């Protein structure tokens, strides 16, 4: 901490997401942004903090924690160096580009006894936070299905991973978190149409541990930007738009019918629609506040590295399924995906 009792923070990476982190860190209560690491420097000249070329330069200044927003391929090297120097870290999602590298990061920070988290920002989206509370309260009854759609134009800044690791990891994490259920099995199909090394579209069918059906459609090939989570259950369905942070509930209605042939049909009918009024704070700011609190030793619901590792395990199983054409079971806490029994 500095002489005013503020945590000293550093930022590694000044890409599109890194600049958002810099903006929030520069105004975060109880935190001083000491410096930023980026070999290209501050190309806009708008940062309040100095920009240094090497991680060693930042470490020499003395920091309490760092935000890692460099390319995913560099997460392991940067994270291991931070852990070796006793620095807590908030690492952008995905935690790493493979299960093996993610596991090494988990072990390094745990063995050093350091606070570390993963930037799965959707957990702090107001619509999804409200949805999770309502599911826990039983407002939907039994959950049948989770469907997510996450699509939009190709982000040219992403070069080291495909759409599964970069985007689908959002949906994997939020689905497990909102429902409180682990993934049990997954099947996926991918395509690459942009001429890049990695996939740019994935369609996923999965099942959670309690039998809930899961579907994800994720791509970088659409001019339409869409971020939708639809959860259907016994009492209706919730629709969360995470672009606008709106949450809507469509209720099932019981309607009597005099048509004898339909009396035996046990189905649903359209009922009331409710759009909830939700306080809408910026998810990135909330994420930073929670991580700051965790570093200070306060109780806080950050996304742990082990949770981030689990998401990487499921994402790796999606890629393996797409390659082999198999339905794979995903063992919680393990690194192996195995063919599922049909």
């Amino acid at each position: 901490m500095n002489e005013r009792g503020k945590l000293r923070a550093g930022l590694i990476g000044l890409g599109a997401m890194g600049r958002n982190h810099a903006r929030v860190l520069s105004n975060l209560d109880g935190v001083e942004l000491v410096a930023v690491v980026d070999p290209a420097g501050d190309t806009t000249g708008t940062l309040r903090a100095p920009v240094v070329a090497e991680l060693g330069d930042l470490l020499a200044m003395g920091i309490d924690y760092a935000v890692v927003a460099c390319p995913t391929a560099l997460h392991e090297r940067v994270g291991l160096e931070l852990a070796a120097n006793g620095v807590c870290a908030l690492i952008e999602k995905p935690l790493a580009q493979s299960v093996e590298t993610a596991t090494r990061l988990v072990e390094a920070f745990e063995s050093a006894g350091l606070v570390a988290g993963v930037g799965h920002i959707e957990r702090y989206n107001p619509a999804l936070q409200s949805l999770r509370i309502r599911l826990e309260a039983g407002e939907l009854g039994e959950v049948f299905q989770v469907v997510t759609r996450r699509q939009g134009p190709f982000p040219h800044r992403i070069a080291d991973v495909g759409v599964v690791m970069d985007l689908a990891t959002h949906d994997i994490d939020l689905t497990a978190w909102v429902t409180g259920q682990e993934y049990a099995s997954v099947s996926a199909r991918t395509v690459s149409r942009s001429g890049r090394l990695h996939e740019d579209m994935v369609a996923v069918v999965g099942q959670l541990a309690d039998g809930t059906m899961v579907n994800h459609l994720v791509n970088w090939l659409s001019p339409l930007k869409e971020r939708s989570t639809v959860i259907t259950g016994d009492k209706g369905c919730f629709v969360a738009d995470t672009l606008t942070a709106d949450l809507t509930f469509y209720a099932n209605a019981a309607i009597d019918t005099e048509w004898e042939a339909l009396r035996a049909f046990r189905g649903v009918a359209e009922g009331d629609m409710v759009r909830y009024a939700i306080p809408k704070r910026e998810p990135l700011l909330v994420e930073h506040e929670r991580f700051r609190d965790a570093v200070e030793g306060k109780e806080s619901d950050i996304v742990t590295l082990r949770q981030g590792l689990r998401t990487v395990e499921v994402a790796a199983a999606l890629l393996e399924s797409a390659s082999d054409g198999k339905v794979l079971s995903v063992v919680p806490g393990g690194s192996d995906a195995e063919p599922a029994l049909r």
Side-chain angles (χ1 to χ4, degrees):
M1 288 190 177
N2 62 21
E3 64 278 0
R4 293 173 304 217
K6 289 187 174 183
L7 291 171
R8 291 172 59 82
L11 171 64
I12 300 147
L14 263 183
M17 197 63 201
R19 290 197 173 275
N20 281 315
H21 282 295
R23 171 180 55 82
V24 173
L25 283 168
S26 296
N27 298 283
L28 188 61
D29 289 342
V31 173
E32 176 190 0
L33 178 58
V34 175
V36 179
V37 179
D38 196 296
D42 179 13
T43 57
T44 65
T46 59
L47 290 180
R48 302 179 191 176
V51 179
V52 297
E54 301 290 340
L55 178 55
D57 299 330
L58 175 63
L59 293 173
M61 296 179 182
I63 56 173
D64 298 298
Y65 74 92
V67 177
V68 180
C70 54
T72 305
L74 301 177
H75 284 188
E76 181 188 18
R77 179 175 67 80
V78 171
L80 293 180
E81 189 168 351
L82 291 172
N85 283 274
V87 177
C88 301
L90 173 60
I91 303 173
E92 259 301 340
K93 65 86 206 151
L95 174 57
Q97 61 187 147
S98 71
V99 174
E100 294 74 21
T101 54
T103 300
R104 287 193 286 270
L105 283 169
V106 171
E107 293 172 347
F109 280 96
E110 286 186 350
S111 63
L114 295 167
V115 175
V118 186
H120 281 292
I121 195 170
E122 291 287 40
R123 292 202 191 190
Y124 307 101
N125 188 288
L128 293 177
Q129 290 196 324
S130 178
L131 173 54
R132 184 173 190 250
I133 291 170
R134 294 177 185 281
L135 289 179
E136 289 178 337
E139 293 186 20
L140 195 59
E142 182 184 356
V143 175
F144 302 149
Q145 182 186 51
V146 180
V147 177
T148 70
R149 294 172 64 92
R150 185 175 301 270
Q151 57 184 353
F154 172 65
H156 293 283
R157 69 184 187 276
I158 305 297
D160 55 347
V161 293
V163 75
V164 170
M165 282 294 179
D166 184 72
L167 271 193
T169 46
H170 278 303
D171 297 289
I172 295 166
D173 180 76
L174 78 84
T175 297
W177 175 73
V178 163
T179 62
Q181 294 292 324
E182 292 274 9
Y183 280 75
S185 65
V186 292
S187 174
R189 296 295 180 269
T190 60
V191 298
S192 179
R193 293 290 184 265
S194 61
R196 299 170 64 252
L197 176 63
H198 302 288
E199 78 289 343
D200 44 35
M201 175 180 282
V202 62
V204 179
V205 176
Q207 189 174 51
L208 302 181
D210 65 349
T212 298
M213 179 189 297
V214 173
N215 302 93
H216 304 308
L217 178 62
V218 188
N219 75 66
W220 279 327
L221 299 175
S222 171
L224 168 66
K225 188 171 184 179
E226 184 181 21
R227 303 287 187 268
S228 172
T229 299
V230 180
I231 302 186
T232 303
D234 188 47
K235 299 179 181 180
C237 75
F238 283 108
V239 179
D241 184 333
T242 53
L243 281 177
T244 61
D246 288 324
L247 179 64
T248 305
F249 177 62
Y250 296 84
N252 287 343
I255 299 178
D256 292 332
T257 178
E258 296 180 4
W259 190 355
E260 186 65 32
L262 296 181
R263 284 183 181 275
F265 175 71
R266 184 177 180 272
V268 299
E270 185 177 351
D272 295 333
M273 181 189 77
V274 179
R275 176 168 291 176
Y276 299 102
I278 304 171
K280 296 180 180 181
R281 300 187 68 222
E282 182 185 3
L284 187 62
L285 173 59
V286 177
E287 178 181 82
H288 274 277
E289 289 175 342
R290 302 291 171 83
F291 191 76
R292 173 203 62 198
D293 292 348
V295 174
E296 290 179 339
K298 301 174 183 176
E299 185 175 346
S300 186
D301 59 344
I302 65 172
V303 185
T304 67
L305 292 198
R306 286 216 168 264
Q307 290 170 337
L309 167 60
R310 176 58 179 161
T311 297
V312 172
E313 289 173 346
V314 176
L318 296 185
L319 291 172
E320 183 178 343
S321 171
S323 175
D324 296 345
K326 298 177 180 178
V327 178
L328 299 179
S329 64
V330 191
V331 181
S335 59
D336 296 327
E338 300 177 350
L341 297 177
R342 294 196 177 185

